Amino acid sequence: MRATAVAHPNVALIKYWGKSDTEKNLPATGSLSVTLGGLHTRTTIEFNEQLKQDQLLLDGKADAAADLRMVRCLDELRQHAGVSLFANVESANDFPTGAGLASSASGFAALTVAGAAALGLSLPPQELVRISRLGSGSAPRSLFAGGVWLDIASSPGETICSTVSEPARWPLEVIVAVTSVEKKAVSSTAGMESSRAASPYFDGWVSSHPQDLADGLSCFTDKDFMRLADLAEHNCLKMHALAMSTRPPLLYWSPATLACMQAVMQLRADGVPVFFTVDAGPQLKAVCLPEASATVRERLQSIPGVLQTLDCTLGQGAWVEPVAKA
Ligand code: PMV
């Protein structure tokens, strides 16, 4: 009744921001992401009859905020297995937690996969998608490798997730410029809910999104980097315009985030194949072709306020760690 799973975080190039159903945690838009090999969440779950409640240790500390969503995922798994045992969950990230590096995505992907394995369940992939989505709307994408599409349109009330491009087919690289390791003041869950309720731009975001998603998918089909670059920056800035126009405003950038954006735009204008994206936090992710990674890394490291850079190739979907033989 014990298993460990590992998942990579992911970064959306065509993003979701806002839900259509908060109870089912259904995103209001689809999304398209890349899975970030090189960064890991490792989660061990043990179901144990001695426990009186579920327990979570995140990076060695009890985490009450993650508890409710975690219990929801565990309840679904318990229901599948027909058991009522509580679980001890220990999760650790090898990158900053809760700072806009998608730790909730890798966290809930690893939790779902580890929990299913600990209970001996072999669930269909789309059921793992549904359960992990109850924890975080971006988590299903960390179950899959490479370029990943989360589709909300083809089956109303559900989400379908799949790889659209294996890592080796289009080996993009992502260099993360870390500009702060502080936890963000407003979580994405709270932030996107207030954008839905209190930004005049929310309807425009949702109605213009299907075209962005269709274009993004076709960029992957055609491996058209420059078209993807323009589109992903547009979609990212549109999401942040929505966040900034929320009352009270959500401004996730630091001065260094903006300096990195301008540096990336200048590199691309100079012919370097790179573009940026930024999630609900101040880190910048520079997506580039492999031949550009050294130039991009060096440029980002020279920007005041960049604390470190992290290198990612495209990674695989979440997996169960084999049990070490004694
Ligand atoms: O998965 P959540 O609910 O933590 O929200 C993720 C939101 C963004 O990272 C900003 C966008 C996305 O699609 O990942």
Side-chain angles (χ1 to χ4, degrees), residues 16-147:
Y16 107 89
W17 190 255
K19 319 216 181 206
S20 60
D21 182 332
T22 44
E23 176 51 31
K24 288 172 83 180
N25 207 27
L26 268 181
T29 63
S31 51
L32 175 63
S33 63
V34 287
T35 299
L36 299 177
L39 310 181
H40 307 85
T41 296
R42 178 171 272 99
T43 301
T44 299
I45 301 195
E46 183 166 25
F47 289 89
N48 183 327
E49 52 198 22
Q50 313 290 325
L51 294 171
K52 302 271 179 294
Q53 58 180 35
D54 293 318
Q55 293 176 351
L56 169 66
L57 276 187
L58 181 56
D59 289 331
K61 287 185 237 125
D63 189 308
D67 271 5
L68 271 179
R69 293 189 285 162
M70 177 191 82
V71 169
R72 226 176 144 195
C73 296
L74 292 175
D75 280 346
E76 295 282 332
L77 294 168
R78 281 187 277 255
Q79 206 174 337
H80 270 293
V83 300
S84 54
L85 298 175
F86 291 111
N88 199 20
V89 180
E90 283 187 33
S91 189
N93 296 322
D94 63 4
F95 56 93
T97 299
L101 278 173
S103 53
S104 67
S106 48
F108 283 105
L111 175 90
T112 306
V113 169
L119 291 169
L121 295 167
S122 154
L123 298 174
Q126 298 308 323
E127 183 57 5
L128 296 175
V129 163
R130 189 186 68 80
I131 295 172
S132 64
R133 191 200 69 222
L134 294 172
S136 156
S138 53
R141 300 187 313 234
S142 279
L143 297 170
F144 296 91

Side-chain angles (χ1 to χ4, degrees), residues 213-230:
L213 192 54
D215 289 348
L217 287 166
S218 96
C219 290
F220 268 86
T221 306
D222 302 343
K223 296 199 246 180
D224 188 336
F225 187 86
M226 286 308 183
R227 202 154 62 85
L228 182 61
D230 287 343

